[in-house]
Amino acid sequence: MVTSGGKSQYLYYGGDDTEDVGPVIDYVRRAGVPSDYVPDFLTTTYTKNRIVEFYSPWCPHCRHFKPNYIQVAKNVASKLDIEFHAVSCIANKELCKMQEIHAYPSIKAFEIGSSKGQAVKRSKRGELLIENIVEAFPGVENITNNALSRKHAVKGNKSKSSNIEKYSGKIKRETYSDAESSFLYALSYGIFMDKHPLKSDRFIAFHDWLEFVQSAIPPEWDMMRNVVSHVFDEITIASQGDKELSALVKESVEESVLSKGW
């Protein structure tokens, strides 16, 4: 049985049962497994090189990146002994905090014996290329120059790269949406350093920061404005811990979604 809200909180697990995700392994924390449990592929004892995507299932960039990640995984896995994993930061919040994930999607390369991982470079358009994988693992056997050509870069949608400029408005909206989602995640789980309520100096700093953010939020981020205002109004509760704070954020997001009829 899947924990943390079920299949809807995963990109590569569930959904269309006929979907081909190739060699990508989506980490699914089963019922009864502690939220701070570290799966073997993120430990120092794992005996294979691996690429791991940390994502949010409702992040537009993550959804558009998905076909690219699957295709690169298929191309590389057929030539090199490298595994491809994926971790939902919504279903596995503690795990993503441990890995210091602050944006989606975040791609990390883990060499044998590593539990930290290094960020993997992507193209200027945000595509993951086979050459990026090879650069991330300098010790692995190189593959042919033909395999490294950019023709293996798979776009997040079916549009040709030369036509991307036509969709600048759409990309801008998605960028705002992605940034808004990342901010809301950071607000929910990045404020508290421990399990104790905020002390007086941190409480004041949190209060002043929320006040500033309210005045600086772009007009496109109406959901974020509602969330920040709600947290600010309930700051006494929000300052008690990340459980209370994340509940306030979730409550406000759900109200915003219902009000828009999404």
Side-chain angles (χ1 to χ4, degrees), residues 17 42 47-48 50 62 68 88 97 99 107-109 112 115 119 140 144 146 169 189 192 197 205 215 226 228 250:
D17 292 334
L42 293 178
T47 58
K48 286 191 175 183
R50 60 273 188 209
C62 297
N68 177 197
S88 167
K97 286 173 68 175
Q99 287 292 328
I107 316 300
K108 283 190 171 185
I112 296 174
S115 63
V140 302
T144 66
N146 184 53
Y189 304 104
F192 291 86
S215 65
N226 294 337
V228 174
K250 181 179 179 181

Side-chain angles (χ1 to χ4, degrees), residues 65 104-107 120-124 126-129 132:
F65 178 72
Y104 310 122
S106 287
I107 316 300
V120 176
K121 295 179 181 179
R122 287 187 280 160
S123 74
K124 292 181 180 179
E127 302 160 351
L128 183 65
L129 307 176
N132 300 140

Side-chain angles (χ1 to χ4, degrees), residues 30 55 83 100 212:
R30 301 291 176 172
Y55 68 87
E83 292 185 347
E100 300 180 346
F212 168 75

Side-chain angles (χ1 to χ4, degrees), residues 29 47 58 67 89 94 111 123 129 141 143 179-180 228:
R29 182 165 51 86
T47 58
W58 34 258
C89 289
E94 292 297 323
E111 293 187 274
S123 74
L129 307 176
E141 180 184 357
I143 56 182
E180 182 180 51
V228 174

Side-chain angles (χ1 to χ4, degrees), residues 36-74:
D36 59 353
Y37 172 77
V38 180
D40 56 355
F41 66 89
L42 293 178
T43 66
T44 57
T45 58
Y46 205 65
T47 58
K48 286 191 175 183
N49 292 317
R50 60 273 188 209
I51 294 290
V52 182
E53 176 196 357
F54 296 89
Y55 68 87
S56 164
W58 34 258
C59 159
H61 287 308
C62 297
R63 292 196 294 268
H64 286 190
F65 178 72
K66 178 180 176 180
N68 177 197
Y69 191 57
I70 292 173
Q71 189 60 54
V72 170
K74 289 179 177 179

